[in-house]
Structure formats: structure tokens, C-alpha cells
Amino acid sequence: MAAQETVDHKYVYDFAEGNKELKDLLGGKGANLAEMTNLGLPVPPGFTITTEACKAYLATGREPDGLAEQIEAHLESLEREMGRRLGDPDDPLLVSVRSGAKFSMPGMMETVLNVGLNDRSVVGLSAQAGGNDRFAWDSYRRLIQMFGKTVCEVPGEEFEHALDEVKRAKGTKNDLDLDADDLRGLVDAYKKIFAKHTGREFPQEPREQLDLAIRAVFESWNAERAVLYRRQERIPADLGTAVNVVSMVFGNLGPDSGTGVAFTRDPASGAQGIYGDYLANAQGEDVVAGIRNTVPLQELEQLDKKSYDELLDIMARLEGHYRDLCDIEFTIERGKLWMLQTRVGKRTAAAAFVIAGQLVDEGLIDLDEALHRVNGAQLAQLMFPRFRLDHDFQPVAKGIGASPGAASGKVVFTSARAVELAAEGESVILVRRETNPDDLNGMIAAQGILTSRGGKTSHAAVVARGMGKTCVSGADELEVDVPAKRFTVGGHTVVEGDVVSIDGTTGKVYLGEVPVMPSEVVQYFEGSLDPEHVDNALVRAVHRIMTHADARRRLLVRTNADTGADAARARRFGAEGIGLCRTEHMFLGDRRELVERLILARTDDERESALAALLPLQRADFEEIFREMDGLPVTVRLIDPPLHEFLPPLEQLAVNVAVAQERGEDVAQEEALLAAVRRMHEENPMLGLRGVRLGLVIPGLFAMQVRAIAEAAVTVTRAGAVARPEIMVPLVGAVQELETVRAEAEKIIAEVVGDSGVEVLIGTMIEVPRAALTAGQIAEAAQFFSFGTNDLTQMGWGFSRDDVEGAFFWRYLELGIFGISPFESIDREGVGRLVRIAAEEGRAARPELKLGVCGEHGGDPDSVHFFHEVGLDYVSCSPFRVPVARLEAGRASVETDGSDSR
Ligand code: ADP
Ligand code: MG
Ligand code: MG
């Protein structure tokens, strides 16, 4: 019975049976081929083998029952439809076997073209192509090459070497100069290479070719580079890939044939227009590989007006249908246009905003949908600085601005070297003629990528855009010599280790380091660019989407700021208060001496006089911040770090004392300090005498801070502004701790504020797991909770933050124990659960309890969504992340409302 069920399981779908919603099952490529088929677009017939078949294969190491029969049945109907049979010596049907996972993984997995050719059918193919021997032998040699490389792991260089050899003998650099005899000879050479490496002859049986190719695609899901790419892009490892079997159409039949790729809008800037590359007399992979230089798509109009018009028409239809930027692959076979692929195209951060804005204008989507289509990571990228070029920096070359940003660094020529230098903390620019999937590690490590070949759609360009990494491609003035580790350009020779700068927006390449300037988006946030008047599509789009995000979001966004200047900047960025004002910097600099006096105090008088000296300094700091945040809440955290952090390090003191003693100087003060440092030494300072514990142990310390806060608030309020201080007690684990601090604080506040009208709230951080678990009790004594998710993560996992990231996180990431560091993005199940419990129990005990978060997670997109779901009132993050948090809070509202009106 079970066997019967597996046999009945449907593993193969004709293109006419699928649609674009079936990406999980058919992969993106298959689902979209089906969608285009059903739209009536010219797609070569074919079928898709599901991701489920792939998963079954990967789990058991063999094809699931029934798959072979289903393929047979679909193949037969394809043969009937095409009027040709696979392997027919006189008129063979040829197919491509193409991988296609749910998420696009450019160049990561395998494709084999021209499956079905063998020694006999190559002759038939030639006859069918009107005696075009050259074409037939070219197709055959491509099959052996791709099949050998991807199915049988024959080293690709061997084939390339043999091809170079033939070209050299012929005295040409161009594949197109090779004639049928050359290519026939090449087929022989390829077969020998194949036999040498596999120990068998190239398979002549077409069905065997097909089955082996399908299996190779299944297996490519777990190829090392695919695994690496998935980890980088956070694509789940268990999705599997679908396999598309597509009847071949030929772009290499002569000058009236060709192949190309196109975008319906510029994927770099979002501008409307026609963007693409076309290559006459070529098969698909030639364009994508960037091997030969392509012409801009516009030139197709001269070459083949009918196909060009049809293509533009189809592109417009696809945009209207997908309501988004589409990226397509097409082939023209003797004047007949065929669509081979489409998908919603990857784009730069700038293009994402600009296109979303345009699509709203065009009535294709509404503002909620526009908001849904951009994200905080993209916005963050747009806030990066760019090159400042008012100096006399002259570019030495201009390539294609493939992925924006400004990057400077030392030149390296190999992926391995890039990884090495990056590990030493260097910025590097990876320079290649073109990249291939094996360069992925180096691309991840590099600050930027520079290639001398390939267009906007080359491997380097596509992958860099996906990573948000600066890339200039196709800078063809560069003569790159990878083995010699150098490149030359316009009379300059650049060797490994020299510094270059690349501008991924303009495509320009500079020698040396170019200084940078702030982004326009930042200028807009700072208020120095008026979106209503500036002629900048990006600024206008950002303004429009941010305005909508602000209208939609429920979460407030505050900032972490310790100085008036930070507060002012964050306010311009849209901060609605300060969620965390740390007071420890107020104990640094020339105030260290006072802190030393405080720590060394032997009597109450000594301690009180040190505190009295600190009071006016703190008060002045708070006054400045309250003035900047006029009308907005400011959460001030009482001093948190262990006090010995304010003293000189033990080793240094010990040396000073020894040297001074040697010289016979008076060392009483130094010795006292040294003794204090020894006394206060802690094995685990993060779990030691800090936070509320300090306040309970050192009389008058918190009282001084509370007084400074209250007095500053009164002064600022009397001067006409509105100060709204919120005093936050760190590291509370038990309600009794908070109650003790609170009793003392309330007395001081009552005395200071008098009838000034100032209202001071008292609350606590929730950062010790015990606090989260007893939140119901703690809420009785707290007017607000602020989740300190850094410490909560540290103590929740038992990770010493300062140590673990370098010590073993890489291994945890490698093993997939977590997909991302829990310090970067909140661990929803564990630490997040603590947050949820505390929020629920805290609110149950005190419904008006204000809830916020002030850890680094407050500016992390995914974490912001989590805090929205949990129902916090606000997130607080560094000033620069404020716009990101505003945007993500808006997106979170739109998504949970379910009103993204698709
Ligand atoms: P990728 O996912 O790496 O883009 P594809 O499966 O799209 O790989 O195939 C690589 C190239 O081969 C593409 O340019 C595509 O257009 C071309 N190609 C694939 N199938 C066919 C076919 N049936 N006829 C002609 N060209 C094809
Ligand atoms: Mg493709
Ligand atoms: Mg903390």
C-alpha cells in the first residue's frame, strides 16, 4: 500500500500544469516558466521535476519510486508535441536540464544544454539545420563540455585549454572563427579528456545522458559553493532544487540568432528604460558567463526589429503581470523569439526604493505594498558614505557600476588571499577578470569586487548586488594577470597590496584611497535636503515610503544617546525620545580623578565630598540632553559598569609603583590605588559588583545621580522646555533591589521637584533572566521595563559576549546551531521567550506599564518585527539605526495587519 502511494505521488509537472505560486514545489525557474507558458508567451515546451523528488533523492541516495516512469511519460508527450524524438539520428529532440530552487542562487547550481546529442544525431542535427555542420558540432562540443564538467566533475580548465589550443593553432581569439572541422576536432579532444577523467566513454545513450544530468542537478544542491551561498543569503538548507527539462532552442544558428538577458528597469538605479545585454550567434551561457563581450540590448533593434518589438511588448506584459521589476533570459532562433526565464529581479537598495515609488505612481501597487517591498537592510546600505571627488582624483578606468557603494582597499587577485588579508583586518578589493562561483569566499571577505570582463548580469555583478557589496564589473581597460598578481591600466601597474578605490555607482576605478562623503539619504534625514524640491528620485522615494512607515507603525522609535550632540542628531533622524542614556561616560576623562577619590574614600566625608564634586558635572550633562529632547522622554540609566573599569589596569599600576619606588618617590597615592584595584578585582566582572548592586553597596552614589537628574529636569523646565526624565535601574533581578533604590530615589525627587511640575518615572531594565521570570513582582515597583537584550542574551545563553564571538561563534554558525549571532538578531525561542514572559506578566500586574527595548537588537530589522509582535511600546537604537527601525516598525504593522493588499 505504501509503495502504491509513492508510485502515485506526482513528481513531474508539465509547464502547462504549474504557475508562479508553486515555487516551493517547482522552484522559481519552473514556476515562472509555467506562468509564462500560461500567459501564452513563447516558451519552449518542457516539464519540471519537483523539489520533492530532489529531497527524496538526497535523503535516500536514489530516485524515488515512480520518478523514472513519470519522466518517461512526460518525455513522450514532449516528443509528440515537438514532433521529434530524443536521440533520433535524423531529427533529434534536444533538451536542456536546468536546476531551479525556490530562491534564485545565481550560477550556484548546474545546467546542461543540448542533452540528446551523440555521434549519430549530431549529423541529423546538422541536416535539420540546413547542413549547418558548424552549428551541430559546436552544440555537441558544448554538451560534452558542460556534461563533463557538471555531471562528471571533469576539471573545466581542461576543456577551456583544449579550446584555446585550437584557437591558437588557427591564429584567432574568437570562437566564431572556428569552422566545422575545427569543432569536430575539438569534439574528439573533448571526448578524450572525458574518457581520461571518468574512465569511460562519453555516454551515447540520450536517456542515460538525461538521467545522469537530472541526478547531477539534484546533487548540486549540496555542492560546497551552494551550501556556502545559502548560508550567506540565509536560505534554508532543506528546500532542495527542482529540475527543468526544456526543449532546446538555438541562438547559435548564425547571425540571425542570438541570446540575451534583460531587465524591465535598471536594477542599479531603478530608472525606467531598456537594460540588457545581447550576443548574436551564441548559446545562453555565453552571456551570463561574461566570456564574450555583449552589445547593449538596444542594438537588437537594428539587428532584428520584429523580435525586438516583441520582446519589449513581452517585458511590459511581464511587469504588469508581476507588478514588479522582472529579469528575463531569451533566445532568438532564426528570427523567432523564445522566453527562457523570468523572475522578479534582484536590485540594488536604491532601485528597490525608486521602483517601489514608481509602481505606486503607476497604480500597480499601493503604499502598503511599496513599504513591504523595501527593507531596513537596504535603507542602512543607502546611508553609507560615497566618494568625495572634489579633489583631483582622476579615474584610471571606467567599468560598469554593478553594485553601488564606495570601497577602498588593498588589491588581491585570489579568493584565498582576500580571505587571509581580511582576517588580518585589512580592507581588500578582489580583482579578477571575471568571478565564478568558486570566488564566493573571497567576495564575502572583500570590501569590493573589480572585474575586467562581464556586464551588469555577470556573476560578479549579480552576486555582489545580492550581498550589498560594492562592485565594478567589465572595466576592460584593465589587463588583469592573475598568476603574476598584478594588473596594468593606462601605463600604471598595480600589484597585490596596492590600494585602489572603486565606485560601484559610477563604475569608476581610482588608484589610491579616495575620501568619502555622506549619502544623500542621510542628508535628507538630517534635514539638509528638501524632498519636495530636490531632483533626486531616490530621496523622494525614501521620503514617501518613510512617511508611510511612520503613519503605519505602532512601535515608537527612541534612540540610545549619551550626549546632547547624539540626542540632537537622533532627533533629526526621527527619534521620539531617548531609550537609553548611559551615565558612565560622565565618569570618564578629567572626571576620573573624582571617581578615584570616590573609590578610595576611607571616610563618609571623603566619599561625600567626591560625590558632591561629581553632582554639578552630571547635572550639566543632563541639562544639555533634556534641552535637546524638549518634550520627549529621556530614559537615564544609573551607573552600570563595575567601578574598577574607571581605574587604571592592574599591570600598569604595578609597574608605575615599582618604578616610583625604585626612584625613591612618594607612592602613597599610587599604592592605595593599586591596593584598591587588587581588592576590587573580579573573575567575572560582568556577573560581579555592577548595576543596582553598586547602588546598594556604595552609599550616596545613586542618590547623587538621581539628584542630578531631578535638578537638571527642574532647571530645564523652569527655563521653558519640557523635561521628561525616566530613571532606569540596571541589572535588577529581584523586586526588593528595586524597592530599596526606589524608596531612596522618591524621597530625593519629591524634595527636588517640589511644585515645578516635573514628573519623574522610575523603572528598571529587564536584563537578568530572573527579572524576566519574576516580572509580575517587579512590575509592582516599576513604572516601566526596558529590555536590555544584550545582557539578557549574555546571561540567557551563559555567553560572555566579549569572548565568545571570537572564540567559537564561527563554529556554531558553521554547524548551524544558530543561523545568525544571537547578539545581532534576537533569539526568538529562548531570549525572546523571556521577553514575552516579562511583557505579559508585567502588563498583567500593571496594565499601564511602559515597555521598551534598549539593546542593540532595537535596530535589527528582524528583531524589530519580534518586538512589534510581542507588543512593546518602543524600541531604542543607535542614532544611525533610527530610520531603519522606523521603516521596519512600519513594515511590521503592515505585515501583521495582513493588509498588504496583494
Ligand atoms: P542559470 O540559472 O544559471 O541562469 P539556466 O538554467 O537559466 O541557468 O541556463 C543557463 C543558460 O542556458 C541560460 O542563459 C539559458 O537561457 C540557456 N538555456 C537554458 N535552457 C535552454 C534551452 N532550452 N534552449 C536554449 N537555451 C537555454
Ligand atoms: Mg538563467
Ligand atoms: Mg546591561
Side-chain angles (χ1 to χ4, degrees), residues 345-372:
K346 296 202 174 178
R347 67 206 68 188
T348 62
F353 278 87
V354 171
I355 291 171
Q358 288 167 356
L359 293 175
V360 173
D361 288 337
E362 290 165 27
L364 284 173
I365 63 175
D366 63 16
L367 273 167
D368 275 0
E369 175 72 17
L371 181 54
H372 178 69

PDB file of all heavy atoms in Angstrom, residues 345-372:
ATOM      1  N   GLY A 345      13.236  40.552 -10.430  1.00  0.00           N
ATOM      2  CA  GLY A 345      14.683  40.721 -10.476  1.00  0.00           C
ATOM      3  C   GLY A 345      15.289  41.242  -9.188  1.00  0.00           C
ATOM      4  O   GLY A 345      14.676  42.022  -8.476  1.00  0.00           O
ATOM      5  N   LYS A 346      16.492  40.776  -8.915  1.00  0.00           N
ATOM      6  CA  LYS A 346      17.250  41.353  -7.809  1.00  0.00           C
ATOM      7  C   LYS A 346      17.577  42.796  -8.158  1.00  0.00           C
ATOM      8  O   LYS A 346      17.684  43.144  -9.326  1.00  0.00           O
ATOM      9  CB  LYS A 346      18.557  40.587  -7.601  1.00  0.00           C
ATOM     10  CG  LYS A 346      18.308  39.171  -7.203  1.00  0.00           C
ATOM     11  CD  LYS A 346      19.493  38.559  -6.494  1.00  0.00           C
ATOM     12  CE  LYS A 346      19.042  37.183  -6.009  1.00  0.00           C
ATOM     13  NZ  LYS A 346      20.036  36.404  -5.353  1.00  0.00           N
ATOM     14  N   ARG A 347      17.770  43.612  -7.171  1.00  0.00           N
ATOM     15  CA  ARG A 347      18.020  45.019  -7.431  1.00  0.00           C
ATOM     16  C   ARG A 347      18.841  45.609  -6.303  1.00  0.00           C
ATOM     17  O   ARG A 347      18.904  45.042  -5.221  1.00  0.00           O
ATOM     18  CB  ARG A 347      16.690  45.759  -7.557  1.00  0.00           C
ATOM     19  CG  ARG A 347      15.947  45.779  -6.223  1.00  0.00           C
ATOM     20  CD  ARG A 347      14.459  45.917  -6.382  1.00  0.00           C
ATOM     21  NE  ARG A 347      13.906  44.725  -6.981  1.00  0.00           N
ATOM     22  CZ  ARG A 347      12.652  44.606  -7.376  1.00  0.00           C
ATOM     23  NH1 ARG A 347      11.823  45.604  -7.236  1.00  0.00           N
ATOM     24  NH2 ARG A 347      12.209  43.491  -7.901  1.00  0.00           N
ATOM     25  N   THR A 348      19.395  46.765  -6.558  1.00  0.00           N
ATOM     26  CA  THR A 348      20.136  47.441  -5.510  1.00  0.00           C
ATOM     27  C   THR A 348      19.149  48.061  -4.528  1.00  0.00           C
ATOM     28  O   THR A 348      17.952  48.181  -4.798  1.00  0.00           O
ATOM     29  CB  THR A 348      20.980  48.578  -6.078  1.00  0.00           C
ATOM     30  OG1 THR A 348      20.079  49.517  -6.664  1.00  0.00           O
ATOM     31  CG2 THR A 348      21.970  48.080  -7.106  1.00  0.00           C
ATOM     32  N   ALA A 349      19.692  48.508  -3.412  1.00  0.00           N
ATOM     33  CA  ALA A 349      18.870  49.152  -2.399  1.00  0.00           C
ATOM     34  C   ALA A 349      18.193  50.398  -2.974  1.00  0.00           C
ATOM     35  O   ALA A 349      16.995  50.621  -2.772  1.00  0.00           O
ATOM     36  CB  ALA A 349      19.741  49.514  -1.202  1.00  0.00           C
ATOM     37  N   ALA A 350      18.958  51.196  -3.712  1.00  0.00           N
ATOM     38  CA  ALA A 350      18.378  52.424  -4.268  1.00  0.00           C
ATOM     39  C   ALA A 350      17.246  52.077  -5.227  1.00  0.00           C
ATOM     40  O   ALA A 350      16.169  52.684  -5.191  1.00  0.00           O
ATOM     41  CB  ALA A 350      19.457  53.236  -4.987  1.00  0.00           C
ATOM     42  N   ALA A 351      17.494  51.086  -6.086  1.00  0.00           N
ATOM     43  CA  ALA A 351      16.475  50.711  -7.051  1.00  0.00           C
ATOM     44  C   ALA A 351      15.222  50.201  -6.348  1.00  0.00           C
ATOM     45  O   ALA A 351      14.107  50.448  -6.796  1.00  0.00           O
ATOM     46  CB  ALA A 351      17.020  49.666  -8.016  1.00  0.00           C
ATOM     47  N   ALA A 352      15.388  49.506  -5.240  1.00  0.00           N
ATOM     48  CA  ALA A 352      14.228  48.967  -4.529  1.00  0.00           C
ATOM     49  C   ALA A 352      13.287  50.102  -4.120  1.00  0.00           C
ATOM     50  O   ALA A 352      12.072  50.023  -4.326  1.00  0.00           O
ATOM     51  CB  ALA A 352      14.679  48.175  -3.306  1.00  0.00           C
ATOM     52  N   PHE A 353      13.848  51.180  -3.578  1.00  0.00           N
ATOM     53  CA  PHE A 353      13.009  52.309  -3.166  1.00  0.00           C
ATOM     54  C   PHE A 353      12.410  53.028  -4.377  1.00  0.00           C
ATOM     55  O   PHE A 353      11.222  53.327  -4.417  1.00  0.00           O
ATOM     56  CB  PHE A 353      13.822  53.294  -2.310  1.00  0.00           C
ATOM     57  CG  PHE A 353      13.928  52.869  -0.877  1.00  0.00           C
ATOM     58  CD1 PHE A 353      14.932  52.024  -0.459  1.00  0.00           C
ATOM     59  CD2 PHE A 353      12.993  53.299   0.055  1.00  0.00           C
ATOM     60  CE1 PHE A 353      15.028  51.616   0.863  1.00  0.00           C
ATOM     61  CE2 PHE A 353      13.070  52.903   1.387  1.00  0.00           C
ATOM     62  CZ  PHE A 353      14.095  52.051   1.793  1.00  0.00           C
ATOM     63  N   VAL A 354      13.282  53.302  -5.357  1.00  0.00           N
ATOM     64  CA  VAL A 354      12.807  54.059  -6.512  1.00  0.00           C
ATOM     65  C   VAL A 354      11.701  53.287  -7.242  1.00  0.00           C
ATOM     66  O   VAL A 354      10.653  53.846  -7.580  1.00  0.00           O
ATOM     67  CB  VAL A 354      13.984  54.386  -7.458  1.00  0.00           C
ATOM     68  CG1 VAL A 354      13.482  54.976  -8.766  1.00  0.00           C
ATOM     69  CG2 VAL A 354      14.963  55.346  -6.771  1.00  0.00           C
ATOM     70  N   ILE A 355      11.916  52.006  -7.440  1.00  0.00           N
ATOM     71  CA  ILE A 355      10.925  51.214  -8.176  1.00  0.00           C
ATOM     72  C   ILE A 355       9.619  51.119  -7.384  1.00  0.00           C
ATOM     73  O   ILE A 355       8.526  51.260  -7.945  1.00  0.00           O
ATOM     74  CB  ILE A 355      11.482  49.810  -8.499  1.00  0.00           C
ATOM     75  CG1 ILE A 355      12.604  49.934  -9.532  1.00  0.00           C
ATOM     76  CG2 ILE A 355      10.383  48.896  -9.016  1.00  0.00           C
ATOM     77  CD1 ILE A 355      13.370  48.638  -9.766  1.00  0.00           C
ATOM     78  N   ALA A 356       9.731  50.907  -6.081  1.00  0.00           N
ATOM     79  CA  ALA A 356       8.500  50.825  -5.275  1.00  0.00           C
ATOM     80  C   ALA A 356       7.705  52.120  -5.430  1.00  0.00           C
ATOM     81  O   ALA A 356       6.479  52.094  -5.608  1.00  0.00           O
ATOM     82  CB  ALA A 356       8.846  50.561  -3.813  1.00  0.00           C
ATOM     83  N   GLY A 357       8.406  53.263  -5.413  1.00  0.00           N
ATOM     84  CA  GLY A 357       7.727  54.550  -5.591  1.00  0.00           C
ATOM     85  C   GLY A 357       7.085  54.666  -6.970  1.00  0.00           C
ATOM     86  O   GLY A 357       5.928  55.069  -7.098  1.00  0.00           O
ATOM     87  N   GLN A 358       7.831  54.258  -7.989  1.00  0.00           N
ATOM     88  CA  GLN A 358       7.291  54.330  -9.357  1.00  0.00           C
ATOM     89  C   GLN A 358       6.048  53.463  -9.520  1.00  0.00           C
ATOM     90  O   GLN A 358       5.074  53.855 -10.149  1.00  0.00           O
ATOM     91  CB  GLN A 358       8.328  53.814 -10.361  1.00  0.00           C
ATOM     92  CG  GLN A 358       9.510  54.735 -10.600  1.00  0.00           C
ATOM     93  CD  GLN A 358      10.622  54.008 -11.352  1.00  0.00           C
ATOM     94  OE1 GLN A 358      10.546  52.807 -11.627  1.00  0.00           O
ATOM     95  NE2 GLN A 358      11.664  54.748 -11.684  1.00  0.00           N
ATOM     96  N   LEU A 359       6.101  52.265  -8.939  1.00  0.00           N
ATOM     97  CA  LEU A 359       4.985  51.347  -9.122  1.00  0.00           C
ATOM     98  C   LEU A 359       3.726  51.886  -8.436  1.00  0.00           C
ATOM     99  O   LEU A 359       2.611  51.642  -8.900  1.00  0.00           O
ATOM    100  CB  LEU A 359       5.333  49.950  -8.597  1.00  0.00           C
ATOM    101  CG  LEU A 359       6.436  49.232  -9.391  1.00  0.00           C
ATOM    102  CD1 LEU A 359       6.812  47.906  -8.728  1.00  0.00           C
ATOM    103  CD2 LEU A 359       6.025  48.978 -10.844  1.00  0.00           C
ATOM    104  N   VAL A 360       3.923  52.631  -7.350  1.00  0.00           N
ATOM    105  CA  VAL A 360       2.766  53.285  -6.729  1.00  0.00           C
ATOM    106  C   VAL A 360       2.210  54.329  -7.702  1.00  0.00           C
ATOM    107  O   VAL A 360       1.000  54.377  -7.961  1.00  0.00           O
ATOM    108  CB  VAL A 360       3.151  53.947  -5.389  1.00  0.00           C
ATOM    109  CG1 VAL A 360       1.992  54.770  -4.842  1.00  0.00           C
ATOM    110  CG2 VAL A 360       3.574  52.891  -4.372  1.00  0.00           C
ATOM    111  N   ASP A 361       3.113  55.145  -8.272  1.00  0.00           N
ATOM    112  CA  ASP A 361       2.675  56.160  -9.239  1.00  0.00           C
ATOM    113  C   ASP A 361       1.931  55.532 -10.410  1.00  0.00           C
ATOM    114  O   ASP A 361       0.974  56.094 -10.921  1.00  0.00           O
ATOM    115  CB  ASP A 361       3.887  56.914  -9.815  1.00  0.00           C
ATOM    116  CG  ASP A 361       4.501  57.843  -8.795  1.00  0.00           C
ATOM    117  OD1 ASP A 361       3.781  58.228  -7.848  1.00  0.00           O
ATOM    118  OD2 ASP A 361       5.691  58.185  -8.934  1.00  0.00           O
ATOM    119  N   GLU A 362       2.406  54.375 -10.829  1.00  0.00           N
ATOM    120  CA  GLU A 362       1.790  53.728 -11.987  1.00  0.00           C
ATOM    121  C   GLU A 362       0.518  52.989 -11.618  1.00  0.00           C
ATOM    122  O   GLU A 362      -0.109  52.364 -12.458  1.00  0.00           O
ATOM    123  CB  GLU A 362       2.793  52.752 -12.622  1.00  0.00           C
ATOM    124  CG  GLU A 362       3.949  53.475 -13.302  1.00  0.00           C
ATOM    125  CD  GLU A 362       5.130  52.547 -13.608  1.00  0.00           C
ATOM    126  OE1 GLU A 362       4.904  51.335 -13.783  1.00  0.00           O
ATOM    127  OE2 GLU A 362       6.268  53.055 -13.651  1.00  0.00           O
ATOM    128  N   GLY A 363       0.184  53.008 -10.326  1.00  0.00           N
ATOM    129  CA  GLY A 363      -1.061  52.370  -9.900  1.00  0.00           C
ATOM    130  C   GLY A 363      -0.975  50.853  -9.841  1.00  0.00           C
ATOM    131  O   GLY A 363      -1.987  50.178  -9.727  1.00  0.00           O
ATOM    132  N   LEU A 364       0.236  50.315  -9.946  1.00  0.00           N
ATOM    133  CA  LEU A 364       0.355  48.852  -9.920  1.00  0.00           C
ATOM    134  C   LEU A 364       0.320  48.321  -8.488  1.00  0.00           C
ATOM    135  O   LEU A 364      -0.105  47.191  -8.250  1.00  0.00           O
ATOM    136  CB  LEU A 364       1.650  48.414 -10.606  1.00  0.00           C
ATOM    137  CG  LEU A 364       1.620  48.485 -12.138  1.00  0.00           C
ATOM    138  CD1 LEU A 364       3.002  48.204 -12.707  1.00  0.00           C
ATOM    139  CD2 LEU A 364       0.614  47.481 -12.702  1.00  0.00           C
ATOM    140  N   ILE A 365       0.806  49.101  -7.541  1.00  0.00           N
ATOM    141  CA  ILE A 365       0.787  48.670  -6.137  1.00  0.00           C
ATOM    142  C   ILE A 365       0.378  49.848  -5.257  1.00  0.00           C
ATOM    143  O   ILE A 365       0.419  51.000  -5.696  1.00  0.00           O
ATOM    144  CB  ILE A 365       2.174  48.145  -5.673  1.00  0.00           C
ATOM    145  CG1 ILE A 365       3.235  49.244  -5.741  1.00  0.00           C
ATOM    146  CG2 ILE A 365       2.615  46.949  -6.499  1.00  0.00           C
ATOM    147  CD1 ILE A 365       4.594  48.822  -5.173  1.00  0.00           C
ATOM    148  N   ASP A 366      -0.035  49.556  -4.016  1.00  0.00           N
ATOM    149  CA  ASP A 366      -0.355  50.658  -3.104  1.00  0.00           C
ATOM    150  C   ASP A 366       0.818  50.900  -2.148  1.00  0.00           C
ATOM    151  O   ASP A 366       1.830  50.186  -2.197  1.00  0.00           O
ATOM    152  CB  ASP A 366      -1.671  50.386  -2.348  1.00  0.00           C
ATOM    153  CG  ASP A 366      -1.578  49.158  -1.460  1.00  0.00           C
ATOM    154  OD1 ASP A 366      -0.448  48.688  -1.183  1.00  0.00           O
ATOM    155  OD2 ASP A 366      -2.636  48.661  -1.026  1.00  0.00           O
ATOM    156  N   LEU A 367       0.680  51.888  -1.283  1.00  0.00           N
ATOM    157  CA  LEU A 367       1.817  52.261  -0.430  1.00  0.00           C
ATOM    158  C   LEU A 367       2.181  51.167   0.575  1.00  0.00           C
ATOM    159  O   LEU A 367       3.347  50.996   0.915  1.00  0.00           O
ATOM    160  CB  LEU A 367       1.523  53.573   0.293  1.00  0.00           C
ATOM    161  CG  LEU A 367       1.896  54.828  -0.507  1.00  0.00           C
ATOM    162  CD1 LEU A 367       1.280  56.065   0.126  1.00  0.00           C
ATOM    163  CD2 LEU A 367       3.418  54.999  -0.596  1.00  0.00           C
ATOM    164  N   ASP A 368       1.176  50.442   1.062  1.00  0.00           N
ATOM    165  CA  ASP A 368       1.488  49.335   1.971  1.00  0.00           C
ATOM    166  C   ASP A 368       2.400  48.334   1.275  1.00  0.00           C
ATOM    167  O   ASP A 368       3.370  47.841   1.841  1.00  0.00           O
ATOM    168  CB  ASP A 368       0.207  48.600   2.402  1.00  0.00           C
ATOM    169  CG  ASP A 368      -0.458  49.270   3.591  1.00  0.00           C
ATOM    170  OD1 ASP A 368       0.070  50.293   4.066  1.00  0.00           O
ATOM    171  OD2 ASP A 368      -1.500  48.757   4.039  1.00  0.00           O
ATOM    172  N   GLU A 369       2.047  48.030   0.039  1.00  0.00           N
ATOM    173  CA  GLU A 369       2.841  47.070  -0.727  1.00  0.00           C
ATOM    174  C   GLU A 369       4.232  47.638  -0.996  1.00  0.00           C
ATOM    175  O   GLU A 369       5.238  46.924  -0.912  1.00  0.00           O
ATOM    176  CB  GLU A 369       2.110  46.743  -2.036  1.00  0.00           C
ATOM    177  CG  GLU A 369       2.873  45.840  -2.988  1.00  0.00           C
ATOM    178  CD  GLU A 369       2.973  44.393  -2.538  1.00  0.00           C
ATOM    179  OE1 GLU A 369       2.182  44.004  -1.659  1.00  0.00           O
ATOM    180  OE2 GLU A 369       3.848  43.680  -3.044  1.00  0.00           O
ATOM    181  N   ALA A 370       4.317  48.916  -1.274  1.00  0.00           N
ATOM    182  CA  ALA A 370       5.625  49.553  -1.503  1.00  0.00           C
ATOM    183  C   ALA A 370       6.490  49.414  -0.248  1.00  0.00           C
ATOM    184  O   ALA A 370       7.668  49.078  -0.322  1.00  0.00           O
ATOM    185  CB  ALA A 370       5.447  51.027  -1.868  1.00  0.00           C
ATOM    186  N   LEU A 371       5.852  49.622   0.895  1.00  0.00           N
ATOM    187  CA  LEU A 371       6.576  49.515   2.163  1.00  0.00           C
ATOM    188  C   LEU A 371       7.058  48.082   2.383  1.00  0.00           C
ATOM    189  O   LEU A 371       8.169  47.831   2.838  1.00  0.00           O
ATOM    190  CB  LEU A 371       5.629  49.953   3.286  1.00  0.00           C
ATOM    191  CG  LEU A 371       6.134  49.957   4.714  1.00  0.00           C
ATOM    192  CD1 LEU A 371       7.405  50.778   4.852  1.00  0.00           C
ATOM    193  CD2 LEU A 371       5.047  50.515   5.641  1.00  0.00           C
ATOM    194  N   HIS A 372       6.218  47.150   2.025  1.00  0.00           N
ATOM    195  CA  HIS A 372       6.534  45.743   2.163  1.00  0.00           C
ATOM    196  C   HIS A 372       7.723  45.343   1.283  1.00  0.00           C
ATOM    197  O   HIS A 372       8.474  44.439   1.598  1.00  0.00           O
ATOM    198  CB  HIS A 372       5.271  44.984   1.767  1.00  0.00           C
ATOM    199  CG  HIS A 372       5.394  43.509   1.796  1.00  0.00           C
ATOM    200  ND1 HIS A 372       5.529  42.812   2.962  1.00  0.00           N
ATOM    201  CD2 HIS A 372       5.404  42.593   0.797  1.00  0.00           C
ATOM    202  CE1 HIS A 372       5.609  41.532   2.673  1.00  0.00           C
ATOM    203  NE2 HIS A 372       5.547  41.376   1.379  1.00  0.00           N
TER     204      HIS A 372
END
